[in-house]
Amino acid sequence: MRILVTGGAGYIGSHTCLELLACGHELVVVDNFCNGHEEALGRVERLSGKPVTVVEGDIQDRALMTSLLREKGSEAVIHFAGLKAVGDSVSDPLSFYTNNVFGTISLLEAMRDCDVRKIVFSSSATVYGDPRWLPITENHPLRAKNPYGTTKLVIEDLLRDLYRSDSSWAIAMLRYFNPVGAHESGRIGEDPKGVPTNLMPFIAQVANGRRDELRIWGGDYPTRDGTGERDYNHVVDLAEGHVAAIEALEAGGMSEVNLGTGTAYTVLDMVRAFEEVSGRPIPYKIVERRPGDAASCFADPSLAEQRFGWRARRGLLEMCRDHWRWEQQNPDGYRDRSA
């Protein structure tokens, strides 16, 4: 297919672009680069040996979205673009609603006008809020706890209403948990701007000597070692999940699907695994819990296998090993253009 990928220069987006190219799809990427890196797409081209059309722009620009869909002959959309930092969403909710919700409305209006009705939406497990049961199944109540999660839930509601109004749309909403790792080449990976808000890049920067120690938020949870536990997913597994979802849309319908491993690892599990693959100590200090953090959160991923034939294949050590390779080869992230 010819696919328009919004936010394709981001962490999950760039890995998905590489997997899409490997499967023979043709891509147009639109990104405003507020979180993504244009260099990531250059490396995707070099790794794949295939061209990627890259357009700098914003999904809020409906005229641009319309022209890209028409002129490039796109047949489907994978929608990653949006602001994602939970803390920032609490301090500046207006930006998140404007970018994430209004931007998605502009994109969907352009798709409707161009009769492009296949979309995979990058949602999040944050739509579930505090787990009422584990593992989390897709029929779990939806109760987002922060503005970021609420914007994802509003977009999901919009897509559900859109499909109810017109079943010619084919929609997949993918809820994933904690993306980690990097491509096995070490040439594309996660390059957070500023202080990392996710666990794995912070651990990697401690291992590499860029930060003194890891702060672990809470050591008295009812888990096997007292630290919070989560469902960590290798980013390439997630990328393959998006490929499987977009290809499944040929059959039509609407899906709301978890992408996860079904296994929960604690923070200390992650620390020990990273120490094993890096051969370096990870100093840490356990501090008070953060408000709102759940003790445990992990997915029931069985529906993804039923609907798309997808399941996560990469384990914890591979996640850490691939991320460490990326960190070693790119200590300055995409600012190092030699990779």
Side-chain angles (χ1 to χ4, degrees):
M1 283 185 281
R2 292 182 296 277
I3 301 170
L4 175 66
V5 183
T6 74
Y11 175 41
I12 303 172
S14 58
H15 287 80
T16 300
C17 285
L18 185 57
E19 297 304 314
L20 288 166
L21 291 169
C23 293
H25 300 292
E26 299 176 22
L27 306 183
V28 176
V29 172
V30 60
D31 203 301
N32 64 8
F33 303 115
C34 71
N35 286 317
H37 301 268
E38 191 168 8
E39 173 65 15
L41 295 172
R43 297 187 188 187
V44 165
E45 285 190 317
R46 294 192 289 276
L47 283 166
S48 66
K50 297 178 180 179
V52 178
T53 300
V54 181
V55 177
E56 184 171 1
D58 197 292
I59 58 170
Q60 296 179 63
D61 186 342
R62 179 177 168 185
L64 174 63
M65 296 300 102
T66 301
S67 67
L68 286 178
L69 290 164
R70 281 194 176 136
E71 293 171 13
K72 305 301 181 182
S74 298
E75 302 165 80
V77 172
I78 300 182
H79 179 29
F80 292 106
L83 300 179
K84 63 178 184 176
V86 170
D88 290 346
S89 77
V90 174
S91 61
D92 187 11
L94 282 175
S95 291
F96 275 70
Y97 279 86
T98 300
N99 281 273
N100 296 3
V101 177
F102 179 72
T104 300
I105 291 171
S106 296
L107 172 65
L108 291 170
E109 288 176 333
M111 291 177 66
R112 178 198 59 197
D113 293 345
C114 298
D115 198 28
V116 177
R117 297 176 187 269
K118 296 184 180 73
I119 183 169
V120 172
F121 171 55
S122 170
S123 191
S124 168
T126 56
V127 299
Y128 293 123
D130 288 334
R132 302 230 346 232
W133 62 74
L134 292 170
I136 293 175
T137 52
E138 285 81 1
N139 64 344
H140 187 284
L142 303 177
R143 303 184 307 172
K145 292 183 60 179
N146 54 66
Y148 163 71
T150 302
T151 64
K152 291 291 189 182
L153 186 50
V154 168
I155 295 167
E156 284 199 7
D157 286 338
L158 169 59
L159 290 169
R160 280 186 282 269
D161 287 340
L162 184 60
Y163 182 76
R164 291 187 192 107
S165 72
D166 183 355
S167 61
S168 69
W169 284 83
I171 299 169
M173 299 185 287
L174 305 184
R175 301 172 184 150
Y176 35 85
F177 287 64
N178 295 77
V180 295
H183 189 261
E184 63 181 0
S185 67
R187 294 175 65 189
I188 59 173
E190 186 172 10
D191 184 12
K193 296 183 177 180
V195 178
T197 58
N198 295 332
L199 177 63
M200 182 77 88
F202 208 110
I203 290 176
Q205 290 186 10
V206 173
N208 222 14
R210 296 167 64 184
R211 302 192 182 275
D212 293 334
E213 67 179 8
L214 170 71
R215 288 202 296 174
I216 298 177
W217 305 97
D220 58 351
Y221 286 107
T223 61
R224 59 183 175 276
D225 60 27
T227 63
E229 58 183 10
R230 298 290 183 267
D231 192 338
Y232 294 95
N233 301 259
H234 196 295
V235 66
V236 177
D237 279 331
L238 292 180
E240 291 173 350
H242 287 78
V243 176
I246 200 77
E247 292 177 348
L249 288 186
E250 289 293 327
M254 186 179 76
S255 298
E256 306 171 30
V257 176
N258 292 334
L259 295 186
T261 67
T263 301
Y265 296 106
T266 68
V267 177
L268 289 179
D269 286 336
M270 303 295 286
V271 168
R272 292 170 186 137
F274 213 95
E275 287 180 330
E276 180 177 341
V277 302
S278 67
R280 299 187 181 184
I282 310 293
Y284 65 85
K285 178 168 64 176
I286 295 178
V287 298
E288 291 185 4
R289 298 183 186 186
R290 289 181 300 193
D293 279 353
S296 182
C297 183
F298 60 98
D300 178 343
S302 57
L303 186 61
E305 187 162 12
Q306 295 172 25
R307 292 280 177 88
F308 307 144
W310 174 91
R311 62 184 177 86
R313 299 185 293 112
R314 296 163 178 84
L316 178 58
L317 289 179
E318 191 169 357
M319 298 176 203
C320 294
R321 188 176 298 115
D322 289 342
H323 193 106
W324 181 233
R325 185 182 300 111
W326 156 258
E327 178 72 20
Q328 286 184 298
Q329 293 183 18
N330 305 269
D332 294 320
Y334 287 113
R335 290 173 295 283
D336 178 4
R337 304 244 170 177
S338 61

Tab-separated table of all heavy atoms in Angstrom, residues 20 27 33 98 104 111 138 158 169 185-186 194 198 209 231 236 248 268 282 288 305:
chain	number	residue	atom	x	y	z
A	20	LEU	N	7.608	-1.193	7.624
A	20	LEU	CA	6.702	-1.049	6.489
A	20	LEU	C	7.455	-1.156	5.168
A	20	LEU	O	7.006	-1.833	4.225
A	20	LEU	CB	5.982	0.289	6.561
A	20	LEU	CG	4.912	0.447	7.644
A	20	LEU	CD1	4.546	1.917	7.817
A	20	LEU	CD2	3.665	-0.377	7.306
A	27	LEU	N	5.912	4.904	1.349
A	27	LEU	CA	5.614	5.788	2.459
A	27	LEU	C	5.731	7.265	2.110
A	27	LEU	O	6.619	7.673	1.364
A	27	LEU	CB	6.564	5.520	3.632
A	27	LEU	CG	6.665	4.093	4.165
A	27	LEU	CD1	7.593	4.056	5.367
A	27	LEU	CD2	5.299	3.535	4.513
A	33	PHE	N	8.498	17.683	13.614
A	33	PHE	CA	9.792	17.502	14.279
A	33	PHE	C	9.859	18.142	15.658
A	33	PHE	O	10.943	18.447	16.156
A	33	PHE	CB	10.944	18.005	13.396
A	33	PHE	CG	10.981	17.343	12.050
A	33	PHE	CD1	10.753	18.077	10.890
A	33	PHE	CD2	11.199	15.983	11.940
A	33	PHE	CE1	10.768	17.456	9.647
A	33	PHE	CE2	11.206	15.353	10.700
A	33	PHE	CZ	10.999	16.088	9.553
A	98	THR	N	-5.218	20.811	21.678
A	98	THR	CA	-5.109	21.424	20.354
A	98	THR	C	-4.355	20.526	19.394
A	98	THR	O	-4.820	20.230	18.290
A	98	THR	CB	-4.408	22.791	20.450
A	98	THR	OG1	-5.166	23.650	21.294
A	98	THR	CG2	-4.275	23.430	19.074
A	104	THR	N	-6.078	15.610	15.027
A	104	THR	CA	-6.680	14.373	14.509
A	104	THR	C	-7.962	14.671	13.739
A	104	THR	O	-8.237	14.051	12.698
A	104	THR	CB	-6.962	13.396	15.657
A	104	THR	OG1	-5.734	13.075	16.312
A	104	THR	CG2	-7.594	12.106	15.135
A	111	MET	N	-8.958	12.992	5.285
A	111	MET	CA	-9.140	11.621	4.810
A	111	MET	C	-10.521	11.426	4.211
A	111	MET	O	-10.675	10.823	3.143
A	111	MET	CB	-8.909	10.636	5.966
A	111	MET	CG	-7.471	10.556	6.448
A	111	MET	SD	-7.289	9.428	7.863
A	111	MET	CE	-7.703	7.842	7.102
A	138	GLU	N	-9.138	-5.794	26.701
A	138	GLU	CA	-9.667	-4.644	25.962
A	138	GLU	C	-11.034	-4.183	26.468
A	138	GLU	O	-11.456	-3.065	26.158
A	138	GLU	CB	-9.743	-4.973	24.473
A	138	GLU	CG	-8.402	-4.979	23.758
A	138	GLU	CD	-7.600	-6.260	23.944
A	138	GLU	OE1	-8.100	-7.190	24.635
A	138	GLU	OE2	-6.485	-6.356	23.399
A	158	LEU	N	-13.957	9.468	19.254
A	158	LEU	CA	-14.237	10.038	17.939
A	158	LEU	C	-14.203	8.952	16.862
A	158	LEU	O	-15.094	8.884	15.998
A	158	LEU	CB	-13.215	11.128	17.635
A	158	LEU	CG	-13.169	11.684	16.206
A	158	LEU	CD1	-14.512	12.287	15.823
A	158	LEU	CD2	-12.062	12.723	16.090
A	169	TRP	N	-15.442	2.945	6.875
A	169	TRP	CA	-14.136	3.163	7.500
A	169	TRP	C	-13.593	1.841	8.023
A	169	TRP	O	-14.345	0.955	8.458
A	169	TRP	CB	-14.256	4.149	8.657
A	169	TRP	CG	-14.405	5.571	8.222
A	169	TRP	CD1	-15.558	6.194	7.837
A	169	TRP	CD2	-13.370	6.558	8.120
A	169	TRP	NE1	-15.312	7.499	7.487
A	169	TRP	CE2	-13.976	7.758	7.649
A	169	TRP	CE3	-12.002	6.556	8.371
A	169	TRP	CZ2	-13.253	8.926	7.443
A	169	TRP	CZ3	-11.274	7.717	8.167
A	169	TRP	CH2	-11.890	8.882	7.699
A	185	SER	N	20.390	-2.818	14.568
A	185	SER	CA	21.555	-2.206	13.942
A	185	SER	C	22.211	-1.158	14.842
A	185	SER	O	23.368	-0.791	14.637
A	185	SER	CB	21.147	-1.530	12.624
A	185	SER	OG	20.292	-0.414	12.881
A	186	GLY	N	21.454	-0.639	15.812
A	186	GLY	CA	21.944	0.447	16.634
A	186	GLY	C	21.880	1.806	15.961
A	186	GLY	O	22.391	2.788	16.504
A	194	GLY	N	15.951	16.580	26.211
A	194	GLY	CA	16.009	16.960	27.612
A	194	GLY	C	16.143	15.744	28.515
A	194	GLY	O	16.645	14.692	28.115
A	198	ASN	N	11.129	8.440	30.382
A	198	ASN	CA	10.922	6.995	30.366
A	198	ASN	C	12.097	6.286	31.039
A	198	ASN	O	13.215	6.799	31.072
A	198	ASN	CB	10.764	6.488	28.931
A	198	ASN	CG	9.512	7.028	28.271
A	198	ASN	OD1	8.532	7.326	28.939
A	198	ASN	ND2	9.549	7.168	26.952
A	209	GLY	N	27.351	6.890	32.014
A	209	GLY	CA	28.024	7.936	32.762
A	209	GLY	C	27.489	9.330	32.536
A	209	GLY	O	28.061	10.306	33.040
A	231	ASP	N	4.550	-3.660	31.743
A	231	ASP	CA	4.660	-4.492	30.543
A	231	ASP	C	5.539	-3.742	29.545
A	231	ASP	O	5.092	-2.779	28.922
A	231	ASP	CB	3.263	-4.729	29.970
A	231	ASP	CG	3.217	-5.800	28.902
A	231	ASP	OD1	4.268	-6.082	28.292
A	231	ASP	OD2	2.121	-6.347	28.668
A	236	VAL	N	10.576	-2.778	18.135
A	236	VAL	CA	10.432	-3.451	16.837
A	236	VAL	C	9.215	-4.377	16.858
A	236	VAL	O	8.512	-4.514	15.847
A	236	VAL	CB	11.718	-4.193	16.449
A	236	VAL	CG1	11.532	-4.952	15.138
A	236	VAL	CG2	12.889	-3.216	16.323
A	248	ALA	N	-4.235	-5.894	8.064
A	248	ALA	CA	-5.515	-6.503	8.419
A	248	ALA	C	-6.697	-5.605	8.055
A	248	ALA	O	-7.819	-6.093	7.906
A	248	ALA	CB	-5.547	-6.825	9.917
A	268	LEU	N	13.473	-2.926	39.223
A	268	LEU	CA	14.742	-3.591	39.547
A	268	LEU	C	15.057	-4.724	38.566
A	268	LEU	O	16.232	-4.995	38.299
A	268	LEU	CB	14.717	-4.115	40.984
A	268	LEU	CG	14.789	-3.030	42.063
A	268	LEU	CD1	14.742	-3.656	43.459
A	268	LEU	CD2	16.050	-2.182	41.912
A	282	ILE	N	24.511	0.056	37.759
A	282	ILE	CA	23.500	1.104	37.637
A	282	ILE	C	23.182	1.591	39.062
A	282	ILE	O	22.338	1.004	39.756
A	282	ILE	CB	22.204	0.595	36.958
A	282	ILE	CG1	22.498	-0.141	35.655
A	282	ILE	CG2	21.231	1.759	36.733
A	282	ILE	CD1	23.053	0.719	34.562
A	288	GLU	N	10.385	8.402	47.450
A	288	GLU	CA	8.947	8.265	47.676
A	288	GLU	C	8.195	8.023	46.367
A	288	GLU	O	8.611	8.448	45.297
A	288	GLU	CB	8.402	9.531	48.344
A	288	GLU	CG	8.882	9.726	49.778
A	288	GLU	CD	8.216	10.923	50.429
A	288	GLU	OE1	7.331	11.531	49.781
A	288	GLU	OE2	8.578	11.241	51.577
A	305	GLU	N	-3.209	-11.372	18.703
A	305	GLU	CA	-2.865	-12.581	17.944
A	305	GLU	C	-4.084	-13.098	17.192
A	305	GLU	O	-3.983	-13.532	16.038
A	305	GLU	CB	-2.312	-13.654	18.873
A	305	GLU	CG	-1.793	-14.859	18.134
A	305	GLU	CD	-0.855	-15.726	18.965
A	305	GLU	OE1	-0.773	-15.531	20.187
A	305	GLU	OE2	-0.205	-16.614	18.371
